[in-house]
Amino acid sequence: MLCVPLTLLALLPLSLMDQGVYRWTDPQGVSHYSDQRPSGAQPHQVIEVTPSPAVTSPNLVHPSHLIPANSQPETLPVPLPLTLIAPQQGSTVRDNQGHVRVAVRPPKTSLPPFDMQVYLDGRVREKIHNQLVFQMENVDRGAHQLSVELLREDGTILAKSSPVTFYLHRAHLKQAPAKQP
């Protein structure tokens, strides 16, 4: 007994789709469109709505057809893992001048000439040529995140470290940091 009303409710939206769209113009000259008949005795027009056919194009080309058959796909080199030896994860550096020693363990492969790009708190801080140990100067006190990339001369990333969080403690609060050039 309950099945008959539920079936009728399920078919109701399908019957509404066959009615179309109503179009009418109000006394101010504004056109209106609705799926419901306008109230009152306003003159209206019923626009039949039919679903559009699926769009197909015989001219679509799969990207694999754009690569010549005799060419090898170019593989981009994956950056090698790089280990930050200093500062260590979670360590506290105590230096009133804001000096932080950075040391990197290179990957176990031979490296061409490289630039080491150092990121401090997500921004490029230093760019050093062919050195794996150096000292950052005038780092503000507080928590910092450090990461390093080794770059070829053309800018390709050879190796990349995971970010390390360290804390810098400067005992003298009244000491102003030195100005950077």
Side-chain angles (χ1 to χ4, degrees):
M1 184 130 181
L2 185 61
C3 290
V4 174
L6 289 177
T7 306
L8 290 176
L9 282 174
L11 295 177
L12 185 62
L14 294 175
S15 66
L16 290 176
M17 287 180 60
D18 291 336
Q19 291 181 357
V21 175
Y22 295 94
R23 179 185 183 270
W24 72 97
T25 305
D26 66 12
Q28 287 78 24
V30 177
S31 295
H32 297 273
Y33 297 89
S34 177
D35 61 346
Q36 298 178 0
R37 175 174 260 157
S39 61
Q42 292 183 350
H44 61 274
Q45 175 186 5
V46 178
I47 301 171
E48 295 297 323
V49 178
T50 57
S52 63
V55 176
T56 60
S57 173
N59 298 332
L60 292 178
V61 177
H62 192 274
S64 64
H65 298 299
L66 299 176
I67 302 171
N70 59 356
S71 71
Q72 294 286 333
E74 184 178 332
T75 57
L76 296 175
V78 176
L80 299 169
L82 193 63
T83 306
L84 273 168
I85 300 169
Q88 293 181 346
Q89 176 66 32
S91 64
T92 299
V93 177
R94 299 177 191 283
D95 189 292
N96 289 341
Q97 303 299 315
H99 296 180
V100 177
R101 180 179 171 265
V102 177
V104 178
R105 179 180 301 134
K108 296 179 179 176
T109 61
S110 62
L111 294 173
F114 64 87
D115 288 328
M116 180 165 54
Q117 190 157 288
V118 180
Y119 293 88
L120 185 65
D121 300 328
R123 295 187 191 138
V124 176
R125 170 68 188 240
E126 308 272 344
K127 194 167 189 178
I128 289 63
H129 186 68
N130 280 343
Q131 293 181 355
L132 295 172
V133 177
F134 76 99
Q135 180 171 298
M136 287 191 300
E137 296 181 357
N138 196 28
V139 177
D140 288 333
R141 63 187 173 108
H144 296 283
Q145 192 173 53
L146 180 76
S147 62
V148 176
E149 292 177 347
L150 297 185
L151 307 173
R152 282 189 184 152
E153 291 173 350
D154 65 357
T156 306
I157 300 174
L158 293 169
K160 186 175 187 175
S161 74
S162 297
V164 169
T165 301
F166 71 95
Y167 306 93
L168 180 64
H169 179 75
R170 293 175 83 162
H172 298 293
L173 297 177
K174 293 183 181 179
Q175 179 179 353
K179 299 220 182 218
Q180 290 186 358

PDB file of all heavy atoms in Angstrom, residues 50-88:
ATOM      1  N   THR A  50      14.669  20.490 -23.942  1.00  0.00           N
ATOM      2  CA  THR A  50      15.117  19.145 -24.280  1.00  0.00           C
ATOM      3  C   THR A  50      16.591  19.028 -23.899  1.00  0.00           C
ATOM      4  O   THR A  50      17.358  19.978 -24.071  1.00  0.00           O
ATOM      5  CB  THR A  50      14.962  18.860 -25.790  1.00  0.00           C
ATOM      6  OG1 THR A  50      15.689  19.839 -26.508  1.00  0.00           O
ATOM      7  CG2 THR A  50      13.499  18.896 -26.199  1.00  0.00           C
ATOM      8  N   PRO A  51      16.972  17.910 -23.342  1.00  0.00           N
ATOM      9  CA  PRO A  51      18.382  17.753 -22.962  1.00  0.00           C
ATOM     10  C   PRO A  51      19.265  17.771 -24.198  1.00  0.00           C
ATOM     11  O   PRO A  51      18.898  17.286 -25.259  1.00  0.00           O
ATOM     12  CB  PRO A  51      18.428  16.401 -22.252  1.00  0.00           C
ATOM     13  CG  PRO A  51      17.169  15.712 -22.615  1.00  0.00           C
ATOM     14  CD  PRO A  51      16.173  16.743 -23.039  1.00  0.00           C
ATOM     15  N   SER A  52      20.421  18.399 -24.053  1.00  0.00           N
ATOM     16  CA  SER A  52      21.344  18.481 -25.180  1.00  0.00           C
ATOM     17  C   SER A  52      22.062  17.152 -25.356  1.00  0.00           C
ATOM     18  O   SER A  52      22.325  16.439 -24.386  1.00  0.00           O
ATOM     19  CB  SER A  52      22.351  19.604 -24.962  1.00  0.00           C
ATOM     20  OG  SER A  52      23.136  19.328 -23.838  1.00  0.00           O
ATOM     21  N   PRO A  53      22.402  16.813 -26.578  1.00  0.00           N
ATOM     22  CA  PRO A  53      23.138  15.563 -26.798  1.00  0.00           C
ATOM     23  C   PRO A  53      24.563  15.689 -26.280  1.00  0.00           C
ATOM     24  O   PRO A  53      25.084  16.787 -26.129  1.00  0.00           O
ATOM     25  CB  PRO A  53      23.107  15.394 -28.319  1.00  0.00           C
ATOM     26  CG  PRO A  53      22.920  16.780 -28.841  1.00  0.00           C
ATOM     27  CD  PRO A  53      22.113  17.524 -27.806  1.00  0.00           C
ATOM     28  N   ALA A  54      25.157  14.551 -26.032  1.00  0.00           N
ATOM     29  CA  ALA A  54      26.543  14.535 -25.562  1.00  0.00           C
ATOM     30  C   ALA A  54      27.440  15.126 -26.639  1.00  0.00           C
ATOM     31  O   ALA A  54      27.242  14.890 -27.826  1.00  0.00           O
ATOM     32  CB  ALA A  54      26.985  13.118 -25.238  1.00  0.00           C
ATOM     33  N   VAL A  55      28.410  15.907 -26.204  1.00  0.00           N
ATOM     34  CA  VAL A  55      29.327  16.544 -27.148  1.00  0.00           C
ATOM     35  C   VAL A  55      30.472  15.577 -27.446  1.00  0.00           C
ATOM     36  O   VAL A  55      31.140  15.083 -26.554  1.00  0.00           O
ATOM     37  CB  VAL A  55      29.888  17.852 -26.547  1.00  0.00           C
ATOM     38  CG1 VAL A  55      30.904  18.469 -27.486  1.00  0.00           C
ATOM     39  CG2 VAL A  55      28.767  18.808 -26.252  1.00  0.00           C
ATOM     40  N   THR A  56      30.638  15.310 -28.718  1.00  0.00           N
ATOM     41  CA  THR A  56      31.763  14.470 -29.144  1.00  0.00           C
ATOM     42  C   THR A  56      32.475  15.185 -30.273  1.00  0.00           C
ATOM     43  O   THR A  56      31.870  15.932 -31.039  1.00  0.00           O
ATOM     44  CB  THR A  56      31.285  13.091 -29.639  1.00  0.00           C
ATOM     45  OG1 THR A  56      30.410  13.297 -30.737  1.00  0.00           O
ATOM     46  CG2 THR A  56      30.593  12.318 -28.534  1.00  0.00           C
ATOM     47  N   SER A  57      33.750  14.972 -30.347  1.00  0.00           N
ATOM     48  CA  SER A  57      34.520  15.598 -31.405  1.00  0.00           C
ATOM     49  C   SER A  57      35.477  14.571 -31.990  1.00  0.00           C
ATOM     50  O   SER A  57      36.276  13.984 -31.277  1.00  0.00           O
ATOM     51  CB  SER A  57      35.301  16.779 -30.855  1.00  0.00           C
ATOM     52  OG  SER A  57      36.148  17.280 -31.842  1.00  0.00           O
ATOM     53  N   PRO A  58      35.404  14.372 -33.286  1.00  0.00           N
ATOM     54  CA  PRO A  58      36.331  13.417 -33.902  1.00  0.00           C
ATOM     55  C   PRO A  58      37.751  13.966 -33.965  1.00  0.00           C
ATOM     56  O   PRO A  58      38.675  13.238 -34.240  1.00  0.00           O
ATOM     57  CB  PRO A  58      35.754  13.230 -35.303  1.00  0.00           C
ATOM     58  CG  PRO A  58      35.010  14.495 -35.576  1.00  0.00           C
ATOM     59  CD  PRO A  58      34.476  14.942 -34.242  1.00  0.00           C
ATOM     60  N   ASN A  59      37.927  15.261 -33.677  1.00  0.00           N
ATOM     61  CA  ASN A  59      39.244  15.876 -33.797  1.00  0.00           C
ATOM     62  C   ASN A  59      40.064  15.816 -32.518  1.00  0.00           C
ATOM     63  O   ASN A  59      41.178  16.314 -32.488  1.00  0.00           O
ATOM     64  CB  ASN A  59      39.094  17.337 -34.225  1.00  0.00           C
ATOM     65  CG  ASN A  59      38.428  17.444 -35.579  1.00  0.00           C
ATOM     66  OD1 ASN A  59      38.532  16.535 -36.398  1.00  0.00           O
ATOM     67  ND2 ASN A  59      37.716  18.532 -35.799  1.00  0.00           N
ATOM     68  N   LEU A  60      39.506  15.271 -31.429  1.00  0.00           N
ATOM     69  CA  LEU A  60      40.264  15.195 -30.188  1.00  0.00           C
ATOM     70  C   LEU A  60      41.392  14.185 -30.336  1.00  0.00           C
ATOM     71  O   LEU A  60      41.203  13.096 -30.877  1.00  0.00           O
ATOM     72  CB  LEU A  60      39.356  14.789 -29.026  1.00  0.00           C
ATOM     73  CG  LEU A  60      38.315  15.826 -28.610  1.00  0.00           C
ATOM     74  CD1 LEU A  60      37.451  15.268 -27.475  1.00  0.00           C
ATOM     75  CD2 LEU A  60      38.980  17.101 -28.164  1.00  0.00           C
ATOM     76  N   VAL A  61      42.564  14.550 -29.847  1.00  0.00           N
ATOM     77  CA  VAL A  61      43.741  13.693 -29.960  1.00  0.00           C
ATOM     78  C   VAL A  61      44.240  13.374 -28.560  1.00  0.00           C
ATOM     79  O   VAL A  61      44.347  14.261 -27.718  1.00  0.00           O
ATOM     80  CB  VAL A  61      44.857  14.405 -30.766  1.00  0.00           C
ATOM     81  CG1 VAL A  61      46.102  13.550 -30.835  1.00  0.00           C
ATOM     82  CG2 VAL A  61      44.355  14.731 -32.151  1.00  0.00           C
ATOM     83  N   HIS A  62      44.504  12.121 -28.301  1.00  0.00           N
ATOM     84  CA  HIS A  62      45.055  11.721 -27.016  1.00  0.00           C
ATOM     85  C   HIS A  62      46.503  12.220 -26.928  1.00  0.00           C
ATOM     86  O   HIS A  62      47.238  12.148 -27.916  1.00  0.00           O
ATOM     87  CB  HIS A  62      45.003  10.199 -26.879  1.00  0.00           C
ATOM     88  CG  HIS A  62      45.288   9.736 -25.488  1.00  0.00           C
ATOM     89  ND1 HIS A  62      46.562   9.534 -25.040  1.00  0.00           N
ATOM     90  CD2 HIS A  62      44.460   9.476 -24.450  1.00  0.00           C
ATOM     91  CE1 HIS A  62      46.525   9.144 -23.784  1.00  0.00           C
ATOM     92  NE2 HIS A  62      45.262   9.101 -23.401  1.00  0.00           N
ATOM     93  N   PRO A  63      46.941  12.739 -25.743  1.00  0.00           N
ATOM     94  CA  PRO A  63      48.300  13.277 -25.639  1.00  0.00           C
ATOM     95  C   PRO A  63      49.405  12.284 -26.012  1.00  0.00           C
ATOM     96  O   PRO A  63      50.470  12.687 -26.459  1.00  0.00           O
ATOM     97  CB  PRO A  63      48.416  13.676 -24.161  1.00  0.00           C
ATOM     98  CG  PRO A  63      47.019  13.839 -23.701  1.00  0.00           C
ATOM     99  CD  PRO A  63      46.181  12.933 -24.538  1.00  0.00           C
ATOM    100  N   SER A  64      49.152  10.989 -25.854  1.00  0.00           N
ATOM    101  CA  SER A  64      50.195  10.016 -26.185  1.00  0.00           C
ATOM    102  C   SER A  64      50.504  10.019 -27.682  1.00  0.00           C
ATOM    103  O   SER A  64      51.574   9.611 -28.095  1.00  0.00           O
ATOM    104  CB  SER A  64      49.776   8.621 -25.734  1.00  0.00           C
ATOM    105  OG  SER A  64      48.624   8.211 -26.461  1.00  0.00           O
ATOM    106  N   HIS A  65      49.565  10.480 -28.504  1.00  0.00           N
ATOM    107  CA  HIS A  65      49.800  10.521 -29.948  1.00  0.00           C
ATOM    108  C   HIS A  65      50.657  11.712 -30.359  1.00  0.00           C
ATOM    109  O   HIS A  65      51.100  11.800 -31.492  1.00  0.00           O
ATOM    110  CB  HIS A  65      48.479  10.558 -30.703  1.00  0.00           C
ATOM    111  CG  HIS A  65      47.639   9.352 -30.482  1.00  0.00           C
ATOM    112  ND1 HIS A  65      48.039   8.081 -30.817  1.00  0.00           N
ATOM    113  CD2 HIS A  65      46.414   9.212 -29.923  1.00  0.00           C
ATOM    114  CE1 HIS A  65      47.097   7.212 -30.500  1.00  0.00           C
ATOM    115  NE2 HIS A  65      46.099   7.871 -29.949  1.00  0.00           N
ATOM    116  N   LEU A  66      50.894  12.657 -29.452  1.00  0.00           N
ATOM    117  CA  LEU A  66      51.692  13.830 -29.770  1.00  0.00           C
ATOM    118  C   LEU A  66      53.189  13.557 -29.662  1.00  0.00           C
ATOM    119  O   LEU A  66      53.994  14.319 -30.152  1.00  0.00           O
ATOM    120  CB  LEU A  66      51.324  14.988 -28.835  1.00  0.00           C
ATOM    121  CG  LEU A  66      49.870  15.451 -28.922  1.00  0.00           C
ATOM    122  CD1 LEU A  66      49.607  16.522 -27.877  1.00  0.00           C
ATOM    123  CD2 LEU A  66      49.544  15.962 -30.300  1.00  0.00           C
ATOM    124  N   ILE A  67      53.576  12.453 -28.987  1.00  0.00           N
ATOM    125  CA  ILE A  67      54.977  12.096 -28.814  1.00  0.00           C
ATOM    126  C   ILE A  67      55.401  11.214 -29.984  1.00  0.00           C
ATOM    127  O   ILE A  67      54.744  10.218 -30.275  1.00  0.00           O
ATOM    128  CB  ILE A  67      55.189  11.331 -27.481  1.00  0.00           C
ATOM    129  CG1 ILE A  67      54.718  12.210 -26.326  1.00  0.00           C
ATOM    130  CG2 ILE A  67      56.630  10.913 -27.310  1.00  0.00           C
ATOM    131  CD1 ILE A  67      54.680  11.492 -24.997  1.00  0.00           C
ATOM    132  N   PRO A  68      56.450  11.583 -30.674  1.00  0.00           N
ATOM    133  CA  PRO A  68      56.908  10.727 -31.772  1.00  0.00           C
ATOM    134  C   PRO A  68      57.249   9.324 -31.273  1.00  0.00           C
ATOM    135  O   PRO A  68      57.733   9.147 -30.149  1.00  0.00           O
ATOM    136  CB  PRO A  68      58.162  11.446 -32.287  1.00  0.00           C
ATOM    137  CG  PRO A  68      58.060  12.848 -31.796  1.00  0.00           C
ATOM    138  CD  PRO A  68      57.255  12.795 -30.537  1.00  0.00           C
ATOM    139  N   ALA A  69      56.990   8.329 -32.113  1.00  0.00           N
ATOM    140  CA  ALA A  69      57.164   6.933 -31.702  1.00  0.00           C
ATOM    141  C   ALA A  69      58.608   6.594 -31.378  1.00  0.00           C
ATOM    142  O   ALA A  69      58.876   5.759 -30.524  1.00  0.00           O
ATOM    143  CB  ALA A  69      56.648   6.006 -32.800  1.00  0.00           C
ATOM    144  N   ASN A  70      59.573   7.238 -32.020  1.00  0.00           N
ATOM    145  CA  ASN A  70      60.974   6.871 -31.813  1.00  0.00           C
ATOM    146  C   ASN A  70      61.635   7.667 -30.687  1.00  0.00           C
ATOM    147  O   ASN A  70      62.808   7.478 -30.414  1.00  0.00           O
ATOM    148  CB  ASN A  70      61.757   7.049 -33.111  1.00  0.00           C
ATOM    149  CG  ASN A  70      61.697   8.498 -33.611  1.00  0.00           C
ATOM    150  OD1 ASN A  70      61.012   9.328 -33.021  1.00  0.00           O
ATOM    151  ND2 ASN A  70      62.394   8.764 -34.699  1.00  0.00           N
ATOM    152  N   SER A  71      60.919   8.560 -30.022  1.00  0.00           N
ATOM    153  CA  SER A  71      61.553   9.373 -28.975  1.00  0.00           C
ATOM    154  C   SER A  71      61.373   8.729 -27.605  1.00  0.00           C
ATOM    155  O   SER A  71      60.394   8.044 -27.346  1.00  0.00           O
ATOM    156  CB  SER A  71      60.968  10.789 -28.954  1.00  0.00           C
ATOM    157  OG  SER A  71      59.653  10.744 -28.465  1.00  0.00           O
ATOM    158  N   GLN A  72      62.330   8.951 -26.739  1.00  0.00           N
ATOM    159  CA  GLN A  72      62.278   8.474 -25.360  1.00  0.00           C
ATOM    160  C   GLN A  72      61.658   9.568 -24.500  1.00  0.00           C
ATOM    161  O   GLN A  72      61.991  10.735 -24.663  1.00  0.00           O
ATOM    162  CB  GLN A  72      63.695   8.173 -24.842  1.00  0.00           C
ATOM    163  CG  GLN A  72      64.375   7.032 -25.548  1.00  0.00           C
ATOM    164  CD  GLN A  72      63.794   5.704 -25.121  1.00  0.00           C
ATOM    165  OE1 GLN A  72      63.282   5.565 -24.035  1.00  0.00           O
ATOM    166  NE2 GLN A  72      63.862   4.717 -26.004  1.00  0.00           N
ATOM    167  N   PRO A  73      60.754   9.221 -23.563  1.00  0.00           N
ATOM    168  CA  PRO A  73      60.209  10.261 -22.699  1.00  0.00           C
ATOM    169  C   PRO A  73      61.315  10.817 -21.801  1.00  0.00           C
ATOM    170  O   PRO A  73      62.147  10.077 -21.278  1.00  0.00           O
ATOM    171  CB  PRO A  73      59.135   9.542 -21.879  1.00  0.00           C
ATOM    172  CG  PRO A  73      59.445   8.096 -22.011  1.00  0.00           C
ATOM    173  CD  PRO A  73      60.194   7.919 -23.292  1.00  0.00           C
ATOM    174  N   GLU A  74      61.333  12.140 -21.651  1.00  0.00           N
ATOM    175  CA  GLU A  74      62.372  12.789 -20.847  1.00  0.00           C
ATOM    176  C   GLU A  74      62.029  12.630 -19.373  1.00  0.00           C
ATOM    177  O   GLU A  74      60.923  12.930 -18.946  1.00  0.00           O
ATOM    178  CB  GLU A  74      62.435  14.273 -21.192  1.00  0.00           C
ATOM    179  CG  GLU A  74      63.548  14.995 -20.481  1.00  0.00           C
ATOM    180  CD  GLU A  74      63.611  16.461 -20.877  1.00  0.00           C
ATOM    181  OE1 GLU A  74      63.201  16.797 -21.998  1.00  0.00           O
ATOM    182  OE2 GLU A  74      64.056  17.266 -20.045  1.00  0.00           O
ATOM    183  N   THR A  75      62.964  12.126 -18.594  1.00  0.00           N
ATOM    184  CA  THR A  75      62.732  11.970 -17.168  1.00  0.00           C
ATOM    185  C   THR A  75      63.487  13.061 -16.435  1.00  0.00           C
ATOM    186  O   THR A  75      64.655  13.323 -16.709  1.00  0.00           O
ATOM    187  CB  THR A  75      63.212  10.591 -16.658  1.00  0.00           C
ATOM    188  OG1 THR A  75      64.598  10.460 -16.970  1.00  0.00           O
ATOM    189  CG2 THR A  75      62.427   9.468 -17.305  1.00  0.00           C
ATOM    190  N   LEU A  76      62.783  13.714 -15.537  1.00  0.00           N
ATOM    191  CA  LEU A  76      63.422  14.746 -14.729  1.00  0.00           C
ATOM    192  C   LEU A  76      64.123  14.083 -13.559  1.00  0.00           C
ATOM    193  O   LEU A  76      63.588  13.165 -12.941  1.00  0.00           O
ATOM    194  CB  LEU A  76      62.372  15.740 -14.226  1.00  0.00           C
ATOM    195  CG  LEU A  76      61.660  16.538 -15.311  1.00  0.00           C
ATOM    196  CD1 LEU A  76      60.568  17.391 -14.698  1.00  0.00           C
ATOM    197  CD2 LEU A  76      62.646  17.406 -16.068  1.00  0.00           C
ATOM    198  N   PRO A  77      65.332  14.531 -13.210  1.00  0.00           N
ATOM    199  CA  PRO A  77      66.042  13.906 -12.101  1.00  0.00           C
ATOM    200  C   PRO A  77      65.333  14.204 -10.778  1.00  0.00           C
ATOM    201  O   PRO A  77      64.873  15.307 -10.543  1.00  0.00           O
ATOM    202  CB  PRO A  77      67.421  14.571 -12.141  1.00  0.00           C
ATOM    203  CG  PRO A  77      67.208  15.846 -12.887  1.00  0.00           C
ATOM    204  CD  PRO A  77      66.072  15.611 -13.829  1.00  0.00           C
ATOM    205  N   VAL A  78      65.242  13.180  -9.957  1.00  0.00           N
ATOM    206  CA  VAL A  78      64.649  13.335  -8.633  1.00  0.00           C
ATOM    207  C   VAL A  78      65.745  13.828  -7.697  1.00  0.00           C
ATOM    208  O   VAL A  78      66.845  13.265  -7.690  1.00  0.00           O
ATOM    209  CB  VAL A  78      64.083  11.984  -8.142  1.00  0.00           C
ATOM    210  CG1 VAL A  78      63.545  12.098  -6.734  1.00  0.00           C
ATOM    211  CG2 VAL A  78      63.017  11.488  -9.091  1.00  0.00           C
ATOM    212  N   PRO A  79      65.488  14.889  -6.922  1.00  0.00           N
ATOM    213  CA  PRO A  79      66.533  15.370  -6.012  1.00  0.00           C
ATOM    214  C   PRO A  79      66.953  14.279  -5.026  1.00  0.00           C
ATOM    215  O   PRO A  79      66.119  13.559  -4.485  1.00  0.00           O
ATOM    216  CB  PRO A  79      65.872  16.538  -5.282  1.00  0.00           C
ATOM    217  CG  PRO A  79      64.732  16.947  -6.140  1.00  0.00           C
ATOM    218  CD  PRO A  79      64.296  15.710  -6.867  1.00  0.00           C
ATOM    219  N   LEU A  80      68.256  14.168  -4.816  1.00  0.00           N
ATOM    220  CA  LEU A  80      68.794  13.212  -3.857  1.00  0.00           C
ATOM    221  C   LEU A  80      68.544  13.719  -2.440  1.00  0.00           C
ATOM    222  O   LEU A  80      68.463  14.924  -2.219  1.00  0.00           O
ATOM    223  CB  LEU A  80      70.293  13.027  -4.084  1.00  0.00           C
ATOM    224  CG  LEU A  80      70.691  12.489  -5.457  1.00  0.00           C
ATOM    225  CD1 LEU A  80      72.190  12.604  -5.658  1.00  0.00           C
ATOM    226  CD2 LEU A  80      70.239  11.057  -5.604  1.00  0.00           C
ATOM    227  N   PRO A  81      68.455  12.805  -1.470  1.00  0.00           N
ATOM    228  CA  PRO A  81      68.279  13.267  -0.096  1.00  0.00           C
ATOM    229  C   PRO A  81      69.571  13.897   0.436  1.00  0.00           C
ATOM    230  O   PRO A  81      70.663  13.437   0.152  1.00  0.00           O
ATOM    231  CB  PRO A  81      67.922  11.995   0.673  1.00  0.00           C
ATOM    232  CG  PRO A  81      68.442  10.877  -0.165  1.00  0.00           C
ATOM    233  CD  PRO A  81      68.425  11.360  -1.584  1.00  0.00           C
ATOM    234  N   LEU A  82      69.418  14.950   1.191  1.00  0.00           N
ATOM    235  CA  LEU A  82      70.536  15.695   1.764  1.00  0.00           C
ATOM    236  C   LEU A  82      70.291  15.749   3.268  1.00  0.00           C
ATOM    237  O   LEU A  82      69.175  15.951   3.709  1.00  0.00           O
ATOM    238  CB  LEU A  82      70.533  17.093   1.160  1.00  0.00           C
ATOM    239  CG  LEU A  82      71.737  17.982   1.352  1.00  0.00           C
ATOM    240  CD1 LEU A  82      72.958  17.367   0.693  1.00  0.00           C
ATOM    241  CD2 LEU A  82      71.459  19.337   0.714  1.00  0.00           C
ATOM    242  N   THR A  83      71.340  15.556   4.074  1.00  0.00           N
ATOM    243  CA  THR A  83      71.177  15.527   5.526  1.00  0.00           C
ATOM    244  C   THR A  83      71.782  16.770   6.148  1.00  0.00           C
ATOM    245  O   THR A  83      72.948  17.085   5.906  1.00  0.00           O
ATOM    246  CB  THR A  83      71.863  14.273   6.119  1.00  0.00           C
ATOM    247  OG1 THR A  83      71.360  13.122   5.440  1.00  0.00           O
ATOM    248  CG2 THR A  83      71.599  14.156   7.596  1.00  0.00           C
ATOM    249  N   LEU A  84      70.994  17.465   6.960  1.00  0.00           N
ATOM    250  CA  LEU A  84      71.504  18.589   7.743  1.00  0.00           C
ATOM    251  C   LEU A  84      72.099  18.026   9.024  1.00  0.00           C
ATOM    252  O   LEU A  84      71.405  17.399   9.819  1.00  0.00           O
ATOM    253  CB  LEU A  84      70.361  19.556   8.092  1.00  0.00           C
ATOM    254  CG  LEU A  84      70.070  20.617   7.064  1.00  0.00           C
ATOM    255  CD1 LEU A  84      68.764  21.317   7.365  1.00  0.00           C
ATOM    256  CD2 LEU A  84      71.184  21.625   7.010  1.00  0.00           C
ATOM    257  N   ILE A  85      73.414  18.209   9.200  1.00  0.00           N
ATOM    258  CA  ILE A  85      74.092  17.729  10.408  1.00  0.00           C
ATOM    259  C   ILE A  85      73.950  18.755  11.521  1.00  0.00           C
ATOM    260  O   ILE A  85      73.732  18.419  12.681  1.00  0.00           O
ATOM    261  CB  ILE A  85      75.587  17.458  10.120  1.00  0.00           C
ATOM    262  CG1 ILE A  85      75.712  16.409   9.029  1.00  0.00           C
ATOM    263  CG2 ILE A  85      76.310  17.018  11.366  1.00  0.00           C
ATOM    264  CD1 ILE A  85      77.121  16.258   8.501  1.00  0.00           C
ATOM    265  N   ALA A  86      74.072  20.019  11.180  1.00  0.00           N
ATOM    266  CA  ALA A  86      73.936  21.087  12.176  1.00  0.00           C
ATOM    267  C   ALA A  86      73.183  22.240  11.536  1.00  0.00           C
ATOM    268  O   ALA A  86      73.446  22.567  10.378  1.00  0.00           O
ATOM    269  CB  ALA A  86      75.306  21.556  12.652  1.00  0.00           C
ATOM    270  N   PRO A  87      72.279  22.825  12.250  1.00  0.00           N
ATOM    271  CA  PRO A  87      71.766  22.461  13.563  1.00  0.00           C
ATOM    272  C   PRO A  87      70.870  21.228  13.468  1.00  0.00           C
ATOM    273  O   PRO A  87      70.300  20.957  12.426  1.00  0.00           O
ATOM    274  CB  PRO A  87      70.967  23.689  13.989  1.00  0.00           C
ATOM    275  CG  PRO A  87      70.557  24.346  12.727  1.00  0.00           C
ATOM    276  CD  PRO A  87      71.630  24.035  11.726  1.00  0.00           C
ATOM    277  N   GLN A  88      70.776  20.515  14.565  1.00  0.00           N
ATOM    278  CA  GLN A  88      69.966  19.304  14.602  1.00  0.00           C
ATOM    279  C   GLN A  88      68.512  19.647  14.904  1.00  0.00           C
ATOM    280  O   GLN A  88      68.206  20.701  15.460  1.00  0.00           O
ATOM    281  CB  GLN A  88      70.501  18.342  15.659  1.00  0.00           C
ATOM    282  CG  GLN A  88      71.861  17.792  15.313  1.00  0.00           C
ATOM    283  CD  GLN A  88      72.376  16.820  16.356  1.00  0.00           C
ATOM    284  OE1 GLN A  88      71.841  16.738  17.457  1.00  0.00           O
ATOM    285  NE2 GLN A  88      73.423  16.098  16.022  1.00  0.00           N
TER     286      GLN A  88
END
